[in-house]
Amino acid sequence: MPPQTTTEKILLVDDVPANLAVLTSALEPQGYEIFAAPNGASALSVAVKAKPDLILLDIMMPGLDGLETCRRLKQNEATRDIPVIFITARSETENVVEGFRAGAVDYVVKPFQAEEVLNRVATHLRINRLTRELREKNRALPLQLSRPPHAGFSQQLHQRVRAD
């Protein structure tokens, strides 16, 4: 996978330092800026301040677990649109479904292959970027529609209508 041309920010949330190190070593060479949080409470704080483009979140953490952390991220206007991918050892279907219900966009089971995580990250960053661009264009559309058409275009249109 080629390195990113723009620096996109990823927040890694896991209570196991070795897991943070493995993910960081896979993502940093791809050009991503990495932020790390050791628990759910600090993840909420870092997410508001750093405004990451994506969050990789462990579910099983002491205190505020990943599911509740995700729910709170989705309730906060400042963080609700940040895609969350769970990375966890919980592989049962009920856990996966619960993760999606909490607001995650994807779910990766540990142990994982770095290439799989990189592809999922790239895919969800692309989807998120395209979604933001579409929202911006939709916001601008009423303004564009309220402007009178370009005079040259209008004259050409009227000439075509008269010719037909």
Side-chain angles (χ1 to χ4, degrees), residues 19 31 45 59 76-77 81 98 115 127 130 133 157 159 162-163:
N19 292 340
S45 175
I59 289 181
N76 184 335
E77 189 173 338
D81 292 331
E98 189 176 12
E115 189 172 346
I127 290 168
L130 291 171
E133 289 172 10
L157 183 62
Q159 288 173 351
R162 280 184 275 178

Side-chain angles (χ1 to χ4, degrees), residues 2-164:
Q4 302 296 309
T5 54
T6 61
T7 303
E8 292 174 296
K9 298 180 281 188
I10 299 175
L11 171 58
L12 308 177
V13 186
D14 200 310
D15 61 316
V16 178
N19 292 340
L20 294 173
V22 167
L23 287 167
T24 298
S25 68
L27 293 163
E28 273 186 339
Q30 300 303 312
Y32 299 115
E33 183 177 356
I34 303 300
F35 296 85
N39 57 55
S42 63
L44 295 172
S45 175
V46 172
V48 169
K49 291 176 188 164
K51 296 180 178 42
D53 298 293
L54 184 120
I55 299 172
L56 293 174
L57 178 60
D58 184 29
I59 289 181
M60 296 184 293
M61 296 183 293
L64 195 61
D65 73 8
L67 293 167
E68 185 57 29
T69 300
C70 186
R71 286 185 197 101
R72 292 185 188 186
L73 287 165
K74 297 305 171 182
Q75 291 169 355
N76 184 335
E77 189 173 338
T79 57
R80 78 170 40 126
D81 292 331
I82 302 169
V84 174
I85 299 175
F86 280 120
I87 296 192
T88 183
R90 296 174 123 186
S91 62
E92 297 80 18
T93 301
E94 63 205 40
N95 298 127
V96 176
V97 170
E98 189 176 12
F100 285 117
R101 284 189 182 138
V105 297
D106 210 341
Y107 197 100
V108 177
V109 178
K110 294 176 187 174
F112 57 82
Q113 296 296 315
E115 189 172 346
E116 176 188 2
V117 173
L118 290 173
N119 280 296
R120 288 176 189 254
V121 163
T123 296
H124 288 292
L125 285 170
R126 185 171 41 254
I127 290 168
N128 192 43
R129 188 172 46 254
L130 291 171
T131 300
R132 281 193 319 265
E133 289 172 10
L134 185 59
R135 279 191 195 122
E136 290 169 18
K137 288 180 181 182
N138 283 339
R139 270 189 233 118
L141 192 57
L143 179 62
Q144 291 173 349
L145 293 175
S146 67
R147 292 184 191 148
H150 183 270
F153 174 77
S154 180
Q155 289 172 344
Q156 289 174 355
L157 183 62
H158 289 298
Q159 288 173 351
R160 285 191 182 148
V161 169
R162 280 184 275 178
D164 291 336

